Amino acid sequence: MNDDARPAPEPQDIPPHSGTADEVNRRDPSRRSVLWTTAGVAGAGLGLGALGGGTASAAGAGAPEAIAAAEAAAAPPRKGRTMAGVPFERRSTVRVGIIGLGNRGDSMIGLFLAVPGVRVVAVCDPVPDKAEKAARKVTAAGQPAPAVYAKDDHDYENLCKRGDIDFVYVATPWELHFPMAKTAMLNGKHIGVECPIAMRLEELWQLVDLSERTRRHCMQLENCCYGKNEMRVLRMAHAGLFGELQHGAGAYNHDLRELMFDPDYYEGPWRRLWHTRLRGDLYPNHGFGPVANYMDVNRGDRVVSISSVGTTALGLAAYREEHMEPGDPSWKESYIGADRTISLVRTAKGRVIRLEHDVSSPHPYSRINSLGGTRGVFEDYPPRIYLEPANTNHQWDDFTKYAEWDHWLWKEHANPPGGHGGMDYIMVFRLTQCMRLGLVPDFDVYDAAVWTAPVPLSHLSIKAQGVPLPIPDFTRGEWRKARSGMDSQKPAE
């Protein structure tokens, strides 16, 4: 959100945010206070001196920061008890508050309303029309009118203070995920946040500590973990069909150029502006989460390091040159985000995970979603498989032959409602089922921290010319214990 044509400051040069969203807007009256798109962005300083662990050496301009990241990696002392394996409190009805009713929040509210045993108690958005639209959906579904919080950018705090909410769902711009998750937990609420859950490594540690101290679950609601293919591969991997797991890959390769320059889709325009601040992988969770589940990360293995490289940043500027009129505010922006980032993540067991991110160049949608072991390999987009001893001719096999391995959630909900092929509904159904029955959630705050850590760490690694940086052990040693995760058994209702 530069006010002139100067290049955007590097993240370490961005001063801490010291004002409210209203104050930020007053400093730049051309920016609207919509969906909190400006709150905290101007000062989303990344805490670059408080990252990572172990030792590192690097060449180039990013070396001091990479070394500082490596020197500060040891996990701080635990301030509470672990949340690994902790069940929800059993309840007959899950009472939900929803914060953020833009594109994502507006599409998700109907799924919460579609699940039996769920009641939407309150909705919040600083744009009153959006909040009122959501409230009408609630009453149209036959539920009591929800409380509406639309007074200002901070009215979500009042929603979180309510005594009749069990779970808060957050679907706002990325820079607001951390303060909203923090506020919810401090007010005794379990919290589920769209990805990424935070933008700074120090914030990830704060969420881990808060979850442990408040005994509230803080979850990255990663819908791709509930994709039909992902859940089938998960069960096959855990049954040993791939042999000893060796490598996997995940990505978010999705051409978002048109949407990022659409003034109505990403209002602010909050998403595009992150490309003026960070060079690394801004959205690792969709690809990372499923592969981490295949490999039981935080449940017998853990990720230990990440090394990232990135291309030059040409795609958004080229799109602007071709499509945006002279005088459009986007011409004041200088993009530093790599068009494509590629990261290699290493685990304690010696496995390798490749992550990719590309939203700035022409590319058909792909999350890659690959898994390989000593007995074969699966690759998605399109889905195909090769497993010994069934396959010996060096030709891909038909993945539909393995439908018997579908997860029970997909067998029970063969045609789920909602977008993204039904994975959104499966996620909401399973989350709220765990809450109603008092079960351990499929993933927790440690998974949220690990899946999001590539956001700040890939930026630093790219600046330091690909130097490997340590990924902290957010579990503080609990990863060595095998425990349940996404590969669940159908519970007795």
Side-chain angles (χ1 to χ4, degrees), residues 255 257-258 261 314-326 328 330-331 335 360-362:
D255 184 357
R257 293 172 299 168
E258 181 178 0
F261 281 93
L314 301 178
L316 293 184
Y319 186 91
R320 178 179 60 189
E321 178 74 27
E322 185 173 352
H323 296 279
M324 306 311 292
E325 295 292 334
D328 184 87
S330 64
W331 285 98
Y335 306 112
S360 306
S361 23

Side-chain angles (χ1 to χ4, degrees), residues 293-348:
N293 288 332
Y294 304 154
M295 295 183 177
D296 287 317
V297 168
N298 292 340
R299 293 162 177 80
D301 198 359
R302 86 169 185 93
V303 291
V304 296
S305 68
I306 182 171
S307 175
S308 304
V309 294
T311 68
T312 52
L314 301 178
L316 293 184
Y319 186 91
R320 178 179 60 189
E321 178 74 27
E322 185 173 352
H323 296 279
M324 306 311 292
E325 295 292 334
D328 184 87
S330 64
W331 285 98
K332 297 180 179 180
E333 300 164 2
S334 296
Y335 306 112
I336 65 171
D339 285 351
R340 176 159 299 206
T341 66
I342 300 174
S343 301
L344 294 180
V345 175
R346 186 171 60 87
T347 81

Side-chain angles (χ1 to χ4, degrees), residues 216-386:
R216 299 295 89 183
H217 279 297
C218 178
M219 294 162 289
Q220 181 80 83
L221 293 187
E222 180 42 74
N223 58 341
C224 293
C225 290
Y226 290 94
K228 190 172 186 177
N229 287 356
E230 284 85 349
M231 299 198 87
R232 183 187 297 180
V233 171
L234 175 73
R235 294 197 64 239
M236 293 172 65
H238 287 177
L241 271 67
F242 293 93
E244 291 295 322
L245 302 184
Q246 291 283 72
H247 60 87
Y252 190 69
N253 294 331
H254 187 187
D255 184 357
L256 294 179
R257 293 172 299 168
E258 181 178 0
L259 293 178
M260 283 197 287
F261 281 93
D262 184 332
D264 298 320
Y265 197 85
Y266 293 118
E267 295 181 81
W270 66 265
R271 186 162 188 158
R272 189 178 75 236
L273 290 173
W274 277 105
H275 290 259
T276 71
R277 297 183 176 89
L278 290 180
R279 296 180 181 176
D281 188 336
L282 294 172
Y283 208 62
N285 313 70
H286 280 351
F288 198 4
V291 178
N293 288 332
Y294 304 154
M295 295 183 177
D296 287 317
V297 168
N298 292 340
R299 293 162 177 80
D301 198 359
R302 86 169 185 93
V303 291
V304 296
S305 68
I306 182 171
S307 175
S308 304
V309 294
T311 68
T312 52
L314 301 178
L316 293 184
Y319 186 91
R320 178 179 60 189
E321 178 74 27
E322 185 173 352
H323 296 279
M324 306 311 292
E325 295 292 334
D328 184 87
S330 64
W331 285 98
K332 297 180 179 180
E333 300 164 2
S334 296
Y335 306 112
I336 65 171
D339 285 351
R340 176 159 299 206
T341 66
I342 300 174
S343 301
L344 294 180
V345 175
R346 186 171 60 87
T347 81
K349 289 188 174 181
R351 299 158 171 168
V352 176
I353 302 172
R354 185 179 90 254
L355 303 177
E356 294 184 10
H357 176 265
D358 187 340
V359 297
S360 306
S361 23
H363 195 287
Y365 183 89
S366 174
R367 298 196 300 273
I368 297 180
N369 187 29
S370 175
L371 181 67
T374 56
R375 293 184 62 187
V377 63
F378 167 79
E379 290 187 1
D380 216 337
Y381 299 92
R384 52 206 186 274
I385 195 166
Y386 187 89

Side-chain angles (χ1 to χ4, degrees), residues 129-211:
D129 288 347
K130 293 180 179 180
E132 293 295 342
K133 177 185 176 183
R136 290 192 296 271
K137 287 187 175 184
V138 176
T139 55
Q143 294 193 12
V148 174
Y149 293 87
K151 183 173 64 175
D152 55 33
D153 291 348
H154 297 276
D155 215 10
Y156 73 89
E157 297 170 0
N158 294 315
L159 180 149
C160 291
K161 292 176 182 177
R162 293 181 65 96
D164 59 350
I165 290 177
D166 306 307
F167 177 79
V168 173
Y169 167 67
V170 171
T172 60
W174 300 338
E175 60 272 10
L176 296 162
H177 290 177
F178 167 73
M180 290 175 174
K182 178 178 178 181
T183 299
M185 284 189 285
L186 288 174
N187 282 279
K189 310 300 187 291
H190 297 293
I191 177 75
V193 184
E194 288 294 335
C195 52
I197 203 164
M199 303 303 285
R200 303 167 62 177
L201 208 63
E202 65 190 60
E203 293 174 345
L204 297 179
W205 272 118
Q206 287 188 53
L207 293 179
V208 168
D209 290 341
L210 269 174
S211 180

Side-chain angles (χ1 to χ4, degrees), residues 71-157:
E71 290 174 345
R78 174 168 272 139
K79 299 177 182 178
R81 292 171 288 130
T82 180
M83 289 297 287
V86 174
F88 287 111
E89 313 88 349
R90 190 181 181 101
R91 49 179 57 79
S92 59
T93 301
V94 179
R95 301 168 299 178
V96 176
I98 298 178
I99 303 174
L101 297 161
N103 295 311
R104 180 62 172 167
D106 182 61
S107 69
M108 289 293 286
I109 190 169
L111 301 183
F112 282 101
L113 293 169
V115 176
V118 178
R119 181 186 163 201
V120 176
V121 173
V123 296
C124 178
D125 195 288
V127 180
D129 288 347
K130 293 180 179 180
E132 293 295 342
K133 177 185 176 183
R136 290 192 296 271
K137 287 187 175 184
V138 176
T139 55
Q143 294 193 12
V148 174
Y149 293 87
K151 183 173 64 175
D152 55 33
D153 291 348
H154 297 276
D155 215 10
Y156 73 89
E157 297 170 0

